Amino acid sequence: MGSQVDSKFTWVIKNLAPFGSEIICSDSFVISGCKWRLIAYPKRKWLNYLTLEVADCESFPIGWRRLANFSVTIVNKALEQIYRRQVTQQWFDHKTPRLSFPLMKTTLGFLVDEEVKIVAEIDVVEVIINGFQVLPSQVKSVNRLFKREPDIASKFPINNPLLKTAYMNVLLSLTKTLHLSPQKISNGDLSDTETTLAHMKTIGFKLELLEKKICEIKEKKAKEKAGKIKIQNTEEKLKDLKQKCLDLEAQLETEKAEVLAASAPLLLSDDEDVF
């Protein structure tokens, strides 16, 4: 059982004693764009170890790293006591995807009705994916980018961290722009995107998929333009047809009136008797 608020995850383990020495895992939770989970190692009626783990790390591209501050608080609600342990600036990567530390019997007094409450707080300071430093909010987009195009930066020669970050931001902006619907991309924006894409290729990025996306957008915009011209021509023809219909209806009414007048009886004069 767990709940999350911002950078804090609260995990309540119930019926701790029956677990014995089994491993207990929390549900996965997302903080700062990263997915985590807690693992507890109970022993009798206290927690022996607690582990913070990067969830689904097997699916991450090689070269990912995360620098995070982590603190854990174990709460005894009945006695309003807490046990707190702080760990700062821990790097997580493929070789070290988890952080474990002993709790020993310090947690024994925090077990209430076979239940223990753990509050974990995580602050992701830095995320590195394939050598590129990105914001926590960009993790999902960058992971998706490298998953779709694993070799996109394989020939990128620049090592300066600030320049690498700048180029990655440009690349993410290009990707975001090209994921808009063609109607939302102006011709000017498309031209700027194409120019920037060409420059990024000269730097060493492999951007065949984005080039293909530009071609698709151009094709759709061309079809959209041709379609709008057809619609305009059809609307003008329809307008002419509607006017012709109105003219024919008016002509029909005139002809009906003439026929009605022709079929009316004639009188010799107003004062003449009719036999």
Side-chain angles (χ1 to χ4, degrees):
M1 178 180 176
S3 62
Q4 180 187 341
V5 178
D6 297 329
S7 62
K8 291 184 179 181
F9 177 74
T10 301
W11 184 24
V12 177
I13 305 175
K14 296 185 177 182
N15 303 318
L16 183 62
F19 283 106
S21 58
E22 294 180 5
I23 296 175
I24 311 172
C25 298
S26 73
D27 295 331
S28 297
F29 55 95
V30 178
I31 289 179
S32 297
C34 302
K35 188 179 289 187
W36 309 86
R37 69 172 178 172
L38 294 173
I39 304 173
Y41 301 83
K43 187 172 183 181
R44 298 186 180 89
K45 293 186 177 183
W46 47 279
L47 295 179
N48 197 10
Y49 281 89
L50 187 69
T51 295
L52 172 67
E53 180 180 67
V54 178
D56 301 330
C57 59
E58 299 83 3
S59 63
F60 291 175
I62 296 175
W64 69 270
R65 299 182 73 201
R66 296 175 182 174
L67 179 62
N69 296 330
F70 171 62
S71 66
V72 60
T73 303
I74 301 177
V75 182
N76 182 326
K77 295 183 292 184
L79 301 177
E80 296 185 354
Q81 296 176 340
I82 63 171
Y83 164 77
R84 183 178 179 86
R85 171 149 185 169
Q86 178 97 19
V87 180
T88 61
Q89 304 256 317
Q90 169 69 32
W91 279 105
F92 296 84
D93 54 30
H94 259 120
K95 294 182 179 179
T96 313
R98 58 187 61 87
L99 170 67
S100 299
F101 53 87
L103 295 177
M104 306 302 289
K105 292 188 177 181
T106 51
T107 59
L108 184 59
F110 295 89
L111 186 66
V112 179
D113 296 328
E114 307 297 338
E115 177 179 305
V116 63
K117 179 179 178 181
I118 300 173
V119 180
E121 187 169 0
I122 304 171
D123 177 25
V124 178
V125 180
E126 186 176 337
V127 180
I128 296 178
I129 302 176
N130 278 30
F132 290 87
Q133 181 178 340
V134 301
L135 298 173
S137 59
Q138 297 174 321
V139 168
K140 187 175 181 179
S141 298
V142 176
N143 278 334
R144 185 166 54 241
L145 182 64
F146 279 107
K147 185 176 182 179
R148 187 172 59 245
E149 300 184 70
D151 298 328
I152 192 170
S154 60
K155 295 184 178 179
F156 184 70
I158 296 175
N159 294 318
N160 183 285
L162 293 178
L163 288 177
K164 291 184 75 172
T165 298
Y167 275 111
M168 177 53 68
N169 287 334
V170 172
L171 186 57
L172 290 175
S173 296
L174 287 174
T175 304
K176 184 177 180 180
T177 298
L178 294 177
H179 272 81
L180 296 173
S181 64
Q183 294 83 0
K184 293 183 178 181
I185 304 178
S186 67
N187 290 328
D189 289 340
L190 189 60
S191 177
D192 291 342
T193 300
E194 197 168 14
T195 301
T196 306
L197 194 67
H199 171 70
M200 297 289 281
K201 284 189 66 179
T202 63
I203 298 299
F205 285 103
K206 299 177 69 175
L207 304 172
E208 288 80 4
L209 286 180
L210 292 185
E211 287 180 310
K212 182 180 178 181
K213 186 74 174 179
I214 285 182
C215 292
E216 291 174 353
I217 292 174
K218 283 184 174 181
E219 183 179 350
K220 285 188 175 183
K221 289 183 78 67
K223 288 182 178 179
E224 180 188 10
K225 183 178 180 180
K228 286 182 177 180
I229 293 174
K230 287 183 179 180
I231 290 173
Q232 184 177 0
N233 291 336
T234 303
E235 286 177 341
E236 290 177 356
K237 289 180 181 179
L238 183 60
K239 182 178 179 181
D240 292 340
L241 287 173
K242 286 182 177 180
Q243 186 59 51
K244 287 180 180 180
C245 288
L246 291 174
D247 293 342
L248 285 173
E249 288 178 356
Q251 181 180 342
L252 179 61
E253 292 300 321
T254 300
E255 291 172 350
K256 286 181 178 180
E258 290 176 352
V259 170
L260 184 63
S263 62
L266 294 175
L267 296 177
L268 296 177
S269 65
D270 292 339
D271 56 352
E272 203 173 81
D273 293 334
V274 177
F275 297 96

